[in-house]
Amino acid sequence: PTSIEMKTIHCLQDVNVPKDCQVTIKSRLITVVGPRGTIKRNLKHLQIDIRLIAKDVIRVEKWFSNRKELAAVNTVCSHIQNMFTGVQRGFRYKMKSVYAHFPIN
Protein backbone atom coordinates (compact mmCIF):
# COMPACT_ATOMS: atom_id res chain seq x y z
CA PRO A 1 0.00 0.00 0.00
CA THR A 2 1.42 3.32 -1.06
CA SER A 3 0.56 6.39 0.94
CA ILE A 4 -0.25 9.60 -0.84
CA GLU A 5 0.72 12.68 1.10
CA MET A 6 -1.63 15.62 1.01
CA LYS A 7 -0.22 18.93 -0.11
CA THR A 8 -1.37 22.32 1.06
CA ILE A 9 -1.98 24.61 -1.89
CA HIS A 10 -1.09 27.94 -0.29
CA CYS A 11 0.16 29.02 3.12
CA LEU A 12 1.05 32.57 4.09
CA GLN A 13 1.97 34.52 7.17
CA ASP A 14 2.54 38.25 7.68
CA VAL A 15 5.16 39.87 9.90
CA ASN A 16 4.82 43.48 11.03
CA VAL A 17 7.93 45.64 10.85
CA PRO A 18 8.51 47.84 13.94
CA LYS A 19 8.58 51.62 13.51
CA ASP A 20 12.32 52.05 14.18
CA CYS A 21 13.47 49.26 11.82
CA GLN A 22 14.09 49.24 8.08
CA VAL A 23 13.94 46.04 6.03
CA THR A 24 15.28 45.23 2.57
CA ILE A 25 14.56 41.92 0.88
CA LYS A 26 16.35 40.80 -2.26
CA SER A 27 16.05 37.18 -3.43
CA ARG A 28 15.61 35.72 0.07
CA LEU A 29 18.46 37.78 1.54
CA ILE A 30 16.91 39.78 4.39
CA THR A 31 18.64 42.86 5.82
CA VAL A 32 17.28 44.54 8.95
CA VAL A 33 18.63 47.93 10.06
CA GLY A 34 17.76 49.28 13.49
CA PRO A 35 19.07 51.51 16.27
CA ARG A 36 21.62 48.93 17.46
CA GLY A 37 23.04 47.89 14.09
CA THR A 38 22.43 45.73 11.03
CA ILE A 39 21.66 42.03 10.69
CA LYS A 40 21.70 40.09 7.41
CA ARG A 41 20.19 36.64 7.00
CA ASN A 42 20.49 34.42 3.94
CA LEU A 43 17.45 32.15 3.47
CA LYS A 44 18.16 30.99 -0.08
CA HIS A 45 18.16 27.33 0.95
CA LEU A 46 14.39 27.49 1.58
CA GLN A 47 11.91 27.44 -1.31
CA ILE A 48 9.61 30.17 -0.02
CA ASP A 49 8.44 33.58 -1.22
CA ILE A 50 9.37 36.56 0.96
CA ARG A 51 7.98 39.93 -0.10
CA LEU A 52 7.59 43.39 1.35
CA ILE A 53 3.91 44.05 0.60
CA ALA A 54 3.83 47.40 2.40
CA LYS A 55 6.41 49.56 4.11
CA ASP A 56 5.71 47.84 7.42
CA VAL A 57 4.48 44.34 6.43
CA ILE A 58 6.52 41.33 5.27
CA ARG A 59 4.65 38.42 3.68
CA VAL A 60 6.11 34.89 3.80
CA GLU A 61 4.41 32.44 1.41
CA LYS A 62 4.74 28.79 0.46
CA TRP A 63 2.93 27.09 -2.41
CA PHE A 64 2.15 23.37 -2.88
CA SER A 65 3.92 21.99 0.15
CA ASN A 66 3.63 19.07 2.52
CA ARG A 67 3.55 19.26 6.30
CA LYS A 68 7.30 19.46 6.86
CA GLU A 69 7.78 22.17 4.26
CA LEU A 70 4.98 24.23 5.82
CA ALA A 71 6.98 24.43 9.05
CA ALA A 72 9.52 26.60 7.19
CA VAL A 73 6.99 29.45 6.94
CA ASN A 74 6.67 29.80 10.72
CA THR A 75 10.42 29.31 11.16
CA VAL A 76 11.24 32.15 8.78
CA CYS A 77 8.75 34.44 10.54
CA SER A 78 10.37 33.61 13.89
CA HIS A 79 13.83 34.37 12.46
CA ILE A 80 12.63 37.74 11.19
CA GLN A 81 11.07 38.58 14.58
CA ASN A 82 14.35 37.64 16.30
CA MET A 83 16.24 39.90 13.88
CA PHE A 84 14.00 42.79 14.93
CA THR A 85 14.71 42.02 18.59
CA GLY A 86 18.44 41.96 17.87
CA VAL A 87 18.57 45.38 16.22
CA GLN A 88 16.21 46.98 18.76
CA ARG A 89 17.16 45.57 22.16
CA GLY A 90 20.09 43.25 21.47
CA PHE A 91 20.82 39.84 22.94
CA ARG A 92 22.79 38.79 25.99
CA TYR A 93 24.44 35.40 26.05
CA LYS A 94 25.37 33.83 29.38
CA MET A 95 27.72 30.89 29.64
CA LYS A 96 27.90 28.81 32.79
CA SER A 97 30.99 26.85 33.67
CA VAL A 98 30.21 23.64 35.52
CA TYR A 99 32.74 21.42 37.26
CA ALA A 100 32.14 17.70 37.69
CA HIS A 101 34.42 15.40 39.68
CA PHE A 102 34.42 12.47 37.28
CA PRO A 103 36.08 12.81 33.85
CA ILE A 104 33.82 12.61 30.81
CA ASN A 105 36.15 10.62 28.54
Side-chain angles (χ1 to χ4, degrees):
T2 60
S3 66
I4 299 172
E5 191 168 336
M6 296 288 291
K7 291 205 178 253
T8 303
I9 295 174
H10 184 223
C11 176
L12 68 95
Q13 196 167 347
D14 291 341
V15 179
N16 294 324
V17 179
K19 299 264 188 251
D20 56 347
C21 293
Q22 297 173 344
V23 178
T24 55
I25 299 170
K26 184 168 182 177
S27 65
R28 290 179 285 192
L29 180 68
I30 302 171
T31 306
V32 177
V33 179
R36 297 195 105 189
T38 303
I39 297 179
K40 292 182 181 179
R41 191 87 191 230
N42 187 350
L43 299 170
K44 292 186 179 185
H45 62 283
L46 298 171
Q47 285 82 28
I48 55 173
D49 298 332
I50 306 172
R51 291 182 291 146
L52 207 58
I53 59 171
K55 189 175 180 179
D56 58 345
V57 179
I58 300 171
R59 178 161 287 170
V60 180
E61 292 181 294
K62 181 89 173 101
W63 291 86
F64 300 108
S65 56
N66 58 20
R67 189 168 160 254
K68 287 189 177 182
E69 294 168 349
L70 281 178
V73 174
N74 199 19
T75 302
V76 168
C77 292
S78 297
H79 281 309
I80 295 171
Q81 291 283 1
N82 289 339
M83 289 169 74
F84 292 146
T85 303
V87 297
Q88 285 178 317
R89 285 181 253 144
F91 290 106
R92 170 180 268 169
Y93 294 101
K94 290 186 178 180
M95 185 172 158
K96 293 181 180 178
S97 178
V98 179
Y99 173 74
H101 173 66
F102 298 105
I104 296 176
N105 62 3

